[in-house]
Amino acid sequence: MSIQIRKTLLQVETTLIEGGKAAATPLKLFAAIAVVKNPWAGKGFVGDLKPEIHAGAPVLGELLTKMILDAVGSGEAVEAYGKAAVVGLDGEIEHASALIHTLRFGNHYRQAVGAKSYLAFCNTRGPGNAPIMIPLMDKNDEGRRSHYLTIQTAIPDAPAADEIVVALGASVGGRPHHRIGDRYQDLKDLGQDVANPAGV
């Protein structure tokens, strides 16, 4: 059984002014979202989620990646990326996690944008109009703080109790006027290394 998609949504946000100061280069944030029937809805506790993951996750990964690429223009232009899922109130957090925490979903996006870092993520449960939070980070440099961003949105009628909202996010650019440096300077100042940032 493939995934049942009720609707999709594409959001593009452009920030021209931040902190009362015009951005030298506007920040563009993109969210590609699908509202799908929860494939485990009404089945009680399901021990093996793999069949539905294999059937649905690749479809969603391919669809949402294409939506992002069509909106941005190319995979190369994507600088930061992330993913999120919100399961409806009758579902488990594990159901939201299942559709996005699999390489069958994420690798479509990773390969299309030439990314090396992991996909930042958020998986939650909520009713219709629940916050959809898509955390982003640089697709190749996890320590580049200018690209620590979060896309915030919501869909008034989703997720229904038996649905899951699945989303990918992208940025072209980092925060306007970013000025907190990156984590590498912190590591240098603290005498720690990337592999053990807390020095434990």
Side-chain angles (χ1 to χ4, degrees), residues 78-157:
V78 171
E79 296 181 26
Y81 73 159
K83 62 186 176 181
V86 183
V87 67
L89 293 178
D90 286 350
E92 300 175 46
I93 292 291
E94 194 73 0
H95 298 162
S97 300
L99 292 179
I100 64 170
H101 294 307
T102 168
L103 297 180
R104 289 171 170 82
F105 176 78
N107 273 357
H108 286 277
Y109 197 18
R110 233 176 251 109
Q111 291 166 359
V113 302
K116 297 175 184 173
S117 62
Y118 69 87
L119 272 158
F121 64 89
C122 180
N123 32 253
T124 57
R125 177 171 45 226
N129 214 36
I132 302 166
M133 310 290 281
I134 313 173
L136 308 179
M137 69 177 180
D138 186 284
K139 67 181 182 182
N140 290 317
D141 185 350
E142 297 167 11
R144 190 181 181 195
R145 289 187 181 137
S146 60
H147 286 58
Y148 292 173
L149 296 154
T150 304
I151 297 171
Q152 303 176 65
T153 191
I155 304 173
D157 68 344

Side-chain angles (χ1 to χ4, degrees), residues 40 45-52:
W40 302 284
F45 183 86
V46 178
D48 183 8
L49 305 182
K50 191 178 289 185
E52 291 83 2

